């Protein structure tokens, strides 16, 4: 069930059309700022932010079909395929067709890709330090953003039905 916001009076309703009142813009601005901090933090690893996210999934889950990688990262195959190809070209992952289903391509870490995990351990510390938040605040923000994502996914499903 979707909660409906309380009605607004005319003056406050106009304020809601200000750019600085838009949650989408706040999230957009925060994402751009995060991308900049990640760009610096990931430079030594030779990874872009999307490549880092893919490596995180592979370090956590191990070998996965491309389809599952896409589900974890919330990316479609058109976006995912170039990422996998670049990581494969860098020698960090290997793509292989499934022996059980040739339509399915699996992605797994190479030794070099697995070893990169050690270097990556410093990245979350650098990002946390850049936020100025303590660990409890970071956990709370992540929890709220997860709830927001779930609510928006549900609203989208309802709107598409």
């Amino acid at each position: 069930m979707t909660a409906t916001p309380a009605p607004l009076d005319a003056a406050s309703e106009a304020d809601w059309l200000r750019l600085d009142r838009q949650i989408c813009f706040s999230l957009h601005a925060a994402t751009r700022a995060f991308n900049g901090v990640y760009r610096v933090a990931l430079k030594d690893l030779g990874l872009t932010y999307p490549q880092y996210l893919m490596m995180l999934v592979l370090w956590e889950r191990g070998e996965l079909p491309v389809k599952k990688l896409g589900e974890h990262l919330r990316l479609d195959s058109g976006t995912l395929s170039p990422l996998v190809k670049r990581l494969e070209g860098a020698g960090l992952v290997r793509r292989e067709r499934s022996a059980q289903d040739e339509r399915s391509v699996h992605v797994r870490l190479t030794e070099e890709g697995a070893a990169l995990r050690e270097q990556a351990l410093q990245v979350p510390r650098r990002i946390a330090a850049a936020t100025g938040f303590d660990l409890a605040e970071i956990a709370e923000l992540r929890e709220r953003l997860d709830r927001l994502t779930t609510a928006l996914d549900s609203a989208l499903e309802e709107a598409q039905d």
Side-chain angles (χ1 to χ4, degrees), residues 45-59:
L45 299 178
L47 297 174
T48 63
Y49 176 68
Q51 291 169 343
Y52 173 69
L53 294 179
M54 182 177 296
M55 295 299 288
L56 287 173
V57 173
L58 293 170
W59 289 326

Side-chain angles (χ1 to χ4, degrees), residues 1-46:
M1 170 158 310
T2 304
T4 304
L8 303 171
D9 62 47
S12 63
E13 192 169 295
D15 282 347
W16 280 101
L17 291 178
R18 292 173 42 119
L19 181 63
D20 64 353
R21 298 293 303 264
Q22 305 302 307
I23 188 172
C24 60
F25 184 73
S26 293
L27 288 168
H28 172 74
T31 297
R32 289 184 56 83
F34 259 116
N35 286 341
V37 172
Y38 269 102
R39 191 176 311 109
V40 172
L42 295 171
K43 187 176 184 178
D44 293 341
L45 299 178

Side-chain angles (χ1 to χ4, degrees), residues 19 32 34 58 82 98 101 103 108 121-122 128 149 152-153:
L19 181 63
R32 289 184 56 83
F34 259 116
L58 293 170
S98 168
D101 181 358
R103 295 171 296 175
R108 67 178 176 89
L121 289 172
Q122 51 79 26
T149 301
L152 293 173
D153 285 345

Side-chain angles (χ1 to χ4, degrees), residues 15 23 27 39 41 78 85 87 89 97 113 117 126 133 149-150:
D15 282 347
I23 188 172
L27 288 168
R39 191 176 311 109
K85 285 180 183 177
L87 288 172
R97 292 230 174 258
R117 185 179 184 279
R126 290 178 71 181
F133 291 179
T149 301
T150 299

